[in-house]
Amino acid sequence: MYYIHPTECIECGMCESICPVDAIRYADEVNEDEEAFVALNAEVFRQADGSLAEPGGWKAGGPSLTDPPALSRLCGQKQSN
Ligand code: SF4
């Protein structure tokens, strides 16, 4: 999953405009079914080691984020609906 830093994103729209699967939303466009993904995105940064979770903490070549187990459960629920 692609993760967006919840406090660094300025909602410029660049990634939203190029996402090939239309998976990125502005905060005010998130519907009820998608809110769990927003919460999961924020949780991944909270759980990240080191300074990755802090604004400005990500550096090119730095550690990558790991998909949490809850993601596969969420995707499974979405597919079965
Ligand atoms: S909208 Fe996308 S490209 Fe723009 S700041 Fe947020 S994550 Fe980065």
Side-chain angles (χ1 to χ4, degrees), residues 4 9-15:
I4 295 175
C9 175
I10 59 171
E11 296 201 359
C12 71
M14 288 299 292
C15 60

Side-chain angles (χ1 to χ4, degrees), residues 2-5 8-16 24-26:
Y2 180 87
Y3 296 96
I4 295 175
H5 199 290
E8 286 192 11
C9 175
I10 59 171
E11 296 201 359
C12 71
M14 288 299 292
C15 60
E16 190 259 356
I24 299 172
R25 304 277 184 278
Y26 291 109

